[in-house]
Amino acid sequence: MKFTAEQIAEVLNGKVEGSKDVEVHTLSKIEEGNYGSLSFLANPKYTPYIYDTQASIVIVNDDFQATKALKCTLIRVKDAYSAFSQLLNMYNQVKLDKSGISSQAAISETAKIGENVYIGEFVIIGDNAVIGNNAKIYPQTFIGENCKIGENTTFFPGVKIYSDCNVGKDCTFHAGVVIGSDGFGFAPQAANNYKKVAQIGNVIIEDDVEIGANTTIDRATLGSTIIRKGVKLDNLIQIAHNVEIGENTVMAAQSGVSGSTKIGKNCMIGGQVGMTGHISIGDNVKIGAQAGIMSNVKDGQTIIGSPAIEVGAFMKSSVYFKKLPELAKKIYEIEKKLQEG
Amino acid sequence: MKFTAEQIAEVLNGKVEGSKDVEVHTLSKIEEGNYGSLSFLANPKYTPYIYDTQASIVIVNDDFQATKALKCTLIRVKDAYSAFSQLLNMYNQVKLDKSGISSQAAISETAKIGENVYIGEFVIIGDNAVIGNNAKIYPQTFIGENCKIGENTTFFPGVKIYSDCNVGKDCTFHAGVVIGSDGFGFAPQAANNYKKVAQIGNVIIEDDVEIGANTTIDRATLGSTIIRKGVKLDNLIQIAHNVEIGENTVMAAQSGVSGSTKIGKNCMIGGQVGMTGHISIGDNVKIGAQAGIMSNVKDGQTIIGSPAIEVGAFMKSSVYFKKLPELAKKIYEIEKKLQEG
Amino acid sequence: MKFTAEQIAEVLNGKVEGSKDVEVHTLSKIEEGNYGSLSFLANPKYTPYIYDTQASIVIVNDDFQATKALKCTLIRVKDAYSAFSQLLNMYNQVKLDKSGISSQAAISETAKIGENVYIGEFVIIGDNAVIGNNAKIYPQTFIGENCKIGENTTFFPGVKIYSDCNVGKDCTFHAGVVIGSDGFGFAPQAANNYKKVAQIGNVIIEDDVEIGANTTIDRATLGSTIIRKGVKLDNLIQIAHNVEIGENTVMAAQSGVSGSTKIGKNCMIGGQVGMTGHISIGDNVKIGAQAGIMSNVKDGQTIIGSPAIEVGAFMKSSVYFKKLPELAKKIYEIEKKLQEG
């Protein structure tokens, strides 16, 4: 696909400055622009790059004033960053616009498949599963019996959804995501061994949730593990049985939440955070990377450390942790001095 | 499937109080009960729910005495929790009772497949592999050459077992588990680069082991990485080459064990714990979440922290960590006072 | 395959001492040797084992002098460890020498497949993908559109490579690796929800890179996430969008690198390390396990802790962390004494 400056300006409601006919076929950063690429300038820090960029077209804000000669064609818009984001999304939509159902997929006769669905090779769709309109199921994905998958949801290759789980509309799950594996529940026995506690609940994932590659979400023992709408989970995260994560909470890679813990809405949780089980995290909580959360957290707190404390206190204490040998020396000296009298 | 109160009471050796003919088709928590569900009451904390629950049947202990009118039918048994667990297991067994070998699986002619085995679509079974009776191999699983898989073992979708590995009886591996990938062994070379050390050992997993989704266990350089019987590993755990984990040890999600470390039996290891290589952890050891283990641990110790120390000491020191700025201030003040004399 | 002592000595340019005709069919550690296995003795610590080993042949250094009777045949070489490694590699090469293209793979007509390539069952090769000579693509792997895979590269079962990614020569990716999943980028919206930022960049992996099981590497927002030649990544690692990792850097399991961080060459990074985004790590840096890196790190530093500090300082401070209750007690006592005057 190639587009001229004029065509792009029309889409963005912008104004061309330079050649209207110059063509681009890809998008790039301004500092990595090549012949045939379109870039943008929004952050003034990057202004020097515009005079040397090899990009054929650069989108700029209306008020941009060049102080040197430019080689590229400009498209002036109200907000260069937004306009570029709009093009990114269009590019991605075209690129990911797959459809058709592979004859090499194994689809149960009792499954209900919506309109305009893509189902790739070597996919399994189990008995009584329901796949919404415009869903995109990439190759090698497994969707168990009785699962319901909403409209416009995309599963990249190799996603595994165990039976009886529900996924909402407009979700994106990346490769290797596992939904509905058994919760980690074992009852200790007299002989020091363990007996499995059957996990017969499910996982409910609401609309507009994105889940990163190889993240795992266990099914509930009874009832449901619940991921509310708008939640964003990064790669390699572990969500245990009966956890609930509130609306629009985001969690960075490699964090883990133990069984039955409830997390509020609009929280921001860093990478490699661990939470113990059966606790409650409020709304609007911010948790720093690698924190260890061992008890309830109130609305709006910002915490870090293991065990986690208020972020300012942690930072101050960390400074003194570094000085501990020096402080200890002072204490021993004072003690000696006082004893010597 | 639907069952009457009378039928369930017979299975549980219990006594019906209320309608013998009321039917249920699912199991629920008492606080989430619906028409047609069966629930239980064991913990007195939940007693208030029994008067309002929508569940059609509730299993209670023999000595339960209602203090208000009940809408549900009761089944009285000796131990309500055990009885309910028994039903959970029966429910799960029926649900997971799959059999038959898919014509869309790729099974080597030299593989030996037991009786009553389930093999799903797009499964690979390599040359000379042996699959025990009643094993259940879900779709998209890979079992390499010369692997031996024991009776009654279940692999959920997308498990990958490299060649020459042995798995015992009554094991359950969840989706995305990888067994037998190469250990991380590289010999430094003069040019600052590394040469791979071939990893030609295998992984041996004994009976009654459960392994969580996307957990990885590397093959030994030489010899075997060994997981003893009754071990339970949660999701996203990393077990390196030549590690050995003793009987009935349980490990929570996202923990990692480095090469050649030996862990004893009956240990309880929290989530996100890390262990360095070539160390030895005793029997009956308890390790708190996020601990970092850098040296040998004796039988029966309970430790936490990074580097890990005895749990009581860690908790006390953590309290003072929080007070470090205050303590430092006191030291500086005392020092000043003494200097001023 | 069986080989005589004489045949092996010829390959290794060594000298047989004992029976030239004794045969071996496998390799073992000296302490686990069996009839028919070949072992080696390099570390003097293991010398006592040579007198009792059941191994049929043991490779020793030229200058080894037996002080007791030996049951095994010896092969004397200049460097026993190197000679054994050479045999390990040969063993592995023979074992992994697969070829042929499965009729059960789904290969696009527009893909270009090199000479002597192995492609297993249920593999997907997308449109315009290019697979180099001698590449080995194990079953259930997904290679998206426009990907380029270099010569002699091996993908074990279930690797997932999203579209437009490039992988160099002589690479090895283990089962469950995900390359090119979307970076974790979301723009906050007025209603407290998030809008996805399209991720249209790719991942570039240079030559001689090894990547462990279930590790995930996200594609760049724009441009490329780059893994330079000779890098070795262990299992379950997370590499975020637009990260760059320098030549010959090695990283242990379960570490994570946040977006846009640049890591230098020849670094050694322990397990479960976390790095924040948009920072720069120098060359020859060593980072201890579980460290949390929150700011730039200069060339050649050795750091540990969360937040990370110089390793010696961390170890000293950790000793005093353990003594914090005792130190605090001293401070309170001194304070009291001074007040009492």
Side-chain angles (χ1 to χ4, degrees):
Chain A
M1 300 174 298
K2 284 189 172 187
F3 299 93
T4 65
E6 189 167 19
Q7 287 170 324
I8 292 165
E10 203 176 314
V11 168
L12 300 178
N13 201 17
K15 203 180 133 197
V16 180
E17 204 169 298
S19 164
K20 280 179 158 51
D21 300 324
V22 64
E23 285 183 331
V24 290
H25 66 274
T26 191
L27 305 172
S28 69
K29 298 186 203 174
I30 193 163
E31 68 273 30
E32 296 174 352
N34 286 313
Y35 179 76
S37 79
L38 176 148
S39 194
F40 76 109
L41 174 63
N43 185 337
K45 205 174 94 183
Y46 289 85
T47 303
Y49 288 107
I50 200 169
Y51 305 107
D52 294 317
T53 186
Q54 301 298 311
S56 301
I57 305 177
V58 178
I59 301 174
V60 295
N61 290 330
D62 266 341
D63 59 359
F64 169 72
Q65 298 198 326
T67 59
K68 286 199 260 180
L70 293 166
K71 282 173 290 184
C72 55
T73 289
L74 298 184
I75 299 179
R76 292 185 179 275
V77 296
K78 202 175 158 192
D79 178 343
Y81 179 72
S82 295
F84 190 74
S85 293
Q86 191 183 333
L87 291 180
L88 277 178
N89 284 324
M90 287 167 64
Y91 182 97
N92 228 7
Q93 269 166 31
V94 170
K95 197 172 132 58
L96 298 176
D97 187 25
K98 287 179 165 292
S99 63
I101 295 177
S102 169
S103 62
Q104 289 170 284
I107 302 173
S108 165
E109 286 179 9
T110 58
K112 286 182 195 151
I113 311 296
E115 304 282 312
N116 191 35
V117 162
Y118 164 60
I119 299 181
E121 291 85 356
F122 316 129
V123 164
I124 311 282
I125 312 254
D127 294 345
N128 303 310
V130 178
I131 311 293
N133 297 337
N134 304 309
K136 289 182 178 50
I137 314 295
Y138 277 72
Q140 301 155 332
T141 288
F142 175 91
I143 297 175
E145 303 155 17
N146 310 315
C147 287
K148 291 198 185 78
I149 312 301
E151 295 178 14
N152 300 313
T153 280
T154 297
F155 292 168
F156 282 102
V159 167
K160 311 295 181 201
I161 317 278
Y162 283 54
S163 64
D164 302 294
C165 293
N166 295 341
V167 178
K169 295 184 295 181
D170 302 310
C171 292
T172 302
F173 291 6
H174 283 280
V177 161
V178 176
I179 306 291
S181 38
D182 283 352
F184 196 63
F186 301 91
Q189 306 294 298
N192 281 323
N193 60 347
Y194 293 88
K195 195 178 163 193
K196 184 178 174 77
V197 177
Q199 306 286 312
I200 73 158
N202 74 343
V203 179
I204 295 175
I205 293 172
E206 295 187 347
D207 301 341
D208 198 28
V209 169
E210 179 143 349
I211 301 182
N214 285 347
T215 281
T216 62
I217 303 181
D218 284 347
R219 68 196 310 112
T221 311
L222 277 174
S224 302
T225 304
I226 303 175
I227 311 296
R228 296 285 177 204
K229 73 176 181 180
V231 166
K232 312 296 178 192
L233 302 180
D234 202 348
N235 298 353
L236 291 167
I237 284 172
Q238 151 70 354
I239 306 296
H241 47 179
N242 296 85
V243 165
E244 183 175 336
I245 303 184
E247 283 183 25
N248 298 319
T249 281
V250 297
M251 193 180 288
Q254 297 176 318
S255 286
V257 184
S258 303
S260 299
T261 283
K262 310 292 175 204
I263 301 176
K265 56 188 180 182
N266 306 319
C267 296
M268 297 181 71
I269 298 165
Q272 298 182 337
V273 167
M275 298 190 199
T276 193
H278 298 273
I279 60 171
S280 177
I281 313 295
D283 298 336
N284 301 301
V285 168
K286 290 194 174 83
I287 302 180
Q290 297 190 324
I293 315 298
M294 297 164 88
S295 52
N296 293 347
V297 179
K298 288 182 192 152
D299 289 355
Q301 284 195 278
T302 300
I303 57 176
I304 193 168
S306 178
I309 58 178
E310 191 273 319
V311 66
F314 177 81
M315 289 307 175
K316 274 184 210 144
S317 285
S318 291
V319 169
Y320 288 108
F321 174 79
K322 217 169 145 176
K323 292 186 182 168
L324 269 180
E326 179 196 320
L327 292 173
K329 203 181 154 200
K330 282 188 195 296
I331 296 171
Y332 295 135
E333 281 171 1
I334 292 168
E335 206 179 25
K336 207 179 155 196
K337 211 172 191 173
L338 289 178
Q339 278 165 356
E340 288 168 354
Chain B
M1 302 173 297
K2 284 188 171 186
F3 299 94
T4 65
E6 189 167 19
Q7 288 170 324
I8 292 164
E10 204 178 313
V11 168
L12 299 178
N13 201 17
K15 203 180 133 195
V16 178
E17 204 169 297
S19 165
K20 281 181 158 53
D21 300 324
V22 63
E23 286 183 329
V24 290
H25 65 274
T26 191
L27 305 171
S28 69
K29 297 186 203 173
I30 193 163
E31 69 272 31
E32 296 174 352
N34 286 314
Y35 180 75
S37 79
L38 177 147
S39 192
F40 77 109
L41 174 61
N43 185 335
K45 205 173 95 183
Y46 288 85
T47 304
Y49 288 107
I50 200 169
Y51 305 108
D52 295 318
T53 186
Q54 302 299 310
S56 300
I57 305 177
V58 178
I59 301 173
V60 294
N61 290 331
D62 267 340
D63 60 0
F64 170 72
Q65 299 199 325
T67 58
K68 285 198 261 180
L70 292 166
K71 283 173 288 184
C72 55
T73 289
L74 298 184
I75 298 178
R76 291 186 180 274
V77 296
K78 202 175 157 192
D79 178 343
Y81 180 72
S82 295
F84 190 76
S85 293
Q86 191 184 333
L87 292 180
L88 277 178
N89 284 323
M90 287 167 63
Y91 182 96
N92 227 8
Q93 268 166 31
V94 171
K95 198 172 132 60
L96 299 176
D97 187 26
K98 288 178 165 288
S99 62
I101 295 177
S102 169
S103 62
Q104 289 170 285
I107 302 175
S108 164
E109 287 179 8
T110 59
K112 287 182 194 151
I113 311 296
E115 304 281 314
N116 191 35
V117 162
Y118 165 59
I119 298 180
E121 291 84 357
F122 315 129
V123 163
I124 311 282
I125 313 254
D127 294 344
N128 304 311
V130 179
I131 311 293
N133 297 337
N134 304 309
K136 291 182 178 48
I137 313 295
Y138 276 72
Q140 300 155 332
T141 288
F142 174 92
I143 296 176
E145 302 154 18
N146 310 316
C147 287
K148 291 198 185 76
I149 312 300
E151 295 178 14
N152 301 312
T153 280
T154 297
F155 292 168
F156 282 102
V159 167
K160 310 297 180 201
I161 316 279
Y162 283 54
S163 65
D164 302 295
C165 294
N166 295 341
V167 177
K169 294 185 294 181
D170 303 310
C171 291
T172 302
F173 292 6
H174 283 280
V177 162
V178 176
I179 306 290
S181 39
D182 284 351
F184 196 63
F186 301 92
Q189 306 293 299
N192 280 324
N193 61 347
Y194 293 88
K195 194 179 163 192
K196 185 179 175 74
V197 177
Q199 307 285 314
I200 72 157
N202 75 343
V203 179
I204 295 175
I205 292 172
E206 296 187 347
D207 300 342
D208 198 29
V209 170
E210 180 143 348
I211 301 182
N214 284 347
T215 280
T216 62
I217 303 181
D218 284 346
R219 70 197 310 112
T221 311
L222 277 174
S224 301
T225 304
I226 302 176
I227 312 295
R228 297 285 177 205
K229 72 176 180 179
V231 167
K232 313 296 178 192
L233 301 181
D234 201 349
N235 298 353
L236 291 168
I237 284 172
Q238 151 70 354
I239 307 295
H241 48 178
N242 296 85
V243 164
E244 182 175 337
I245 302 184
E247 283 182 25
N248 298 319
T249 282
V250 297
M251 193 181 287
Q254 296 177 317
S255 286
V257 184
S258 302
S260 299
T261 283
K262 310 293 176 202
I263 301 176
K265 56 188 180 182
N266 307 318
C267 296
M268 298 182 71
I269 298 165
Q272 297 183 337
V273 167
M275 297 189 199
T276 192
H278 298 272
I279 60 171
S280 177
I281 312 295
D283 297 337
N284 301 301
V285 168
K286 291 195 173 81
I287 302 180
Q290 296 191 324
I293 316 297
M294 297 163 87
S295 51
N296 293 346
V297 179
K298 287 182 193 153
D299 289 356
Q301 283 195 280
T302 299
I303 56 176
I304 193 169
S306 178
I309 59 177
E310 191 274 319
V311 66
F314 178 80
M315 289 306 175
K316 275 184 209 145
S317 285
S318 291
V319 170
Y320 289 108
F321 175 79
K322 217 170 145 177
K323 293 185 182 168
L324 269 180
E326 180 195 318
L327 292 173
K329 203 182 152 199
K330 282 188 196 295
I331 295 170
Y332 296 135
E333 280 171 2
I334 292 169
E335 204 180 26
K336 208 180 154 196
K337 212 172 189 173
L338 290 177
Q339 278 166 357
E340 287 168 354
Chain C
M1 299 175 297
K2 286 189 171 188
F3 299 94
T4 64
E6 188 167 20
Q7 287 170 324
I8 292 164
E10 203 178 315
V11 168
L12 300 178
N13 201 17
K15 201 180 135 196
V16 180
E17 203 169 298
S19 165
K20 282 181 157 53
D21 299 324
V22 63
E23 286 183 331
V24 290
H25 65 276
T26 191
L27 306 172
S28 69
K29 297 186 204 172
I30 193 163
E31 68 273 31
E32 295 173 352
N34 286 312
Y35 180 76
S37 79
L38 176 147
S39 194
F40 76 109
L41 173 62
N43 185 337
K45 204 173 95 183
Y46 288 85
T47 303
Y49 289 107
I50 200 168
Y51 304 108
D52 295 317
T53 186
Q54 301 299 311
S56 301
I57 305 177
V58 178
I59 300 173
V60 295
N61 290 330
D62 267 340
D63 59 1
F64 169 71
Q65 298 197 326
T67 58
K68 284 198 260 181
L70 293 166
K71 283 173 287 185
C72 56
T73 290
L74 298 183
I75 298 179
R76 293 186 180 274
V77 296
K78 202 175 158 192
D79 178 344
Y81 179 73
S82 295
F84 190 75
S85 294
Q86 191 184 334
L87 292 179
L88 278 178
N89 284 324
M90 286 166 64
Y91 183 96
N92 228 7
Q93 268 165 32
V94 170
K95 198 171 133 59
L96 299 175
D97 187 25
K98 288 179 165 290
S99 62
I101 295 177
S102 169
S103 61
Q104 289 170 285
I107 302 174
S108 164
E109 287 179 9
T110 58
K112 285 182 195 152
I113 311 296
E115 304 282 313
N116 190 35
V117 162
Y118 165 59
I119 298 180
E121 291 85 355
F122 316 128
V123 164
I124 311 282
I125 313 254
D127 295 344
N128 302 311
V130 179
I131 311 294
N133 297 337
N134 305 309
K136 291 183 177 47
I137 314 295
Y138 277 72
Q140 301 155 331
T141 289
F142 175 92
I143 297 175
E145 302 154 18
N146 309 315
C147 288
K148 290 197 184 79
I149 312 300
E151 294 178 16
N152 301 313
T153 279
T154 297
F155 292 167
F156 282 103
V159 168
K160 311 295 180 203
I161 317 278
Y162 283 54
S163 64
D164 301 296
C165 294
N166 295 341
V167 177
K169 294 186 294 182
D170 302 310
C171 292
T172 301
F173 292 6
H174 282 281
V177 162
V178 176
I179 306 290
S181 39
D182 283 352
F184 196 62
F186 301 92
Q189 306 294 298
N192 281 324
N193 60 348
Y194 294 88
K195 195 178 163 193
K196 185 179 174 75
V197 177
Q199 306 285 313
I200 72 158
N202 74 344
V203 179
I204 295 174
I205 293 172
E206 296 187 347
D207 301 342
D208 198 27
V209 169
E210 180 143 350
I211 301 182
N214 284 347
T215 281
T216 62
I217 303 181
D218 284 347
R219 67 196 311 113
T221 311
L222 277 174
S224 301
T225 303
I226 303 175
I227 312 295
R228 296 286 177 204
K229 73 176 179 180
V231 166
K232 312 296 178 192
L233 302 180
D234 201 348
N235 297 353
L236 291 167
I237 285 172
Q238 152 69 356
I239 306 295
H241 48 179
N242 295 86
V243 164
E244 183 175 336
I245 302 184
E247 283 182 26
N248 298 319
T249 281
V250 297
M251 193 181 289
Q254 297 177 317
S255 286
V257 184
S258 303
S260 299
T261 282
K262 310 293 176 204
I263 301 176
K265 57 188 180 184
N266 307 320
C267 296
M268 298 182 70
I269 298 165
Q272 298 182 337
V273 168
M275 298 189 199
T276 193
H278 297 275
I279 61 171
S280 178
I281 312 295
D283 298 336
N284 301 302
V285 167
K286 291 194 173 81
I287 302 180
Q290 296 190 324
I293 315 297
M294 298 164 87
S295 52
N296 293 347
V297 179
K298 288 182 193 153
D299 289 356
Q301 284 196 279
T302 299
I303 56 176
I304 193 169
S306 177
I309 59 177
E310 190 274 320
V311 66
F314 177 80
M315 289 308 176
K316 274 185 209 145
S317 285
S318 291
V319 169
Y320 288 108
F321 174 79
K322 217 170 147 175
K323 293 186 181 168
L324 268 180
E326 178 196 319
L327 291 173
K329 203 181 153 200
K330 282 188 195 295
I331 295 170
Y332 295 135
E333 281 171 1
I334 292 168
E335 206 180 24
K336 207 180 155 196
K337 210 171 192 174
L338 289 178
Q339 277 165 358
E340 287 167 354

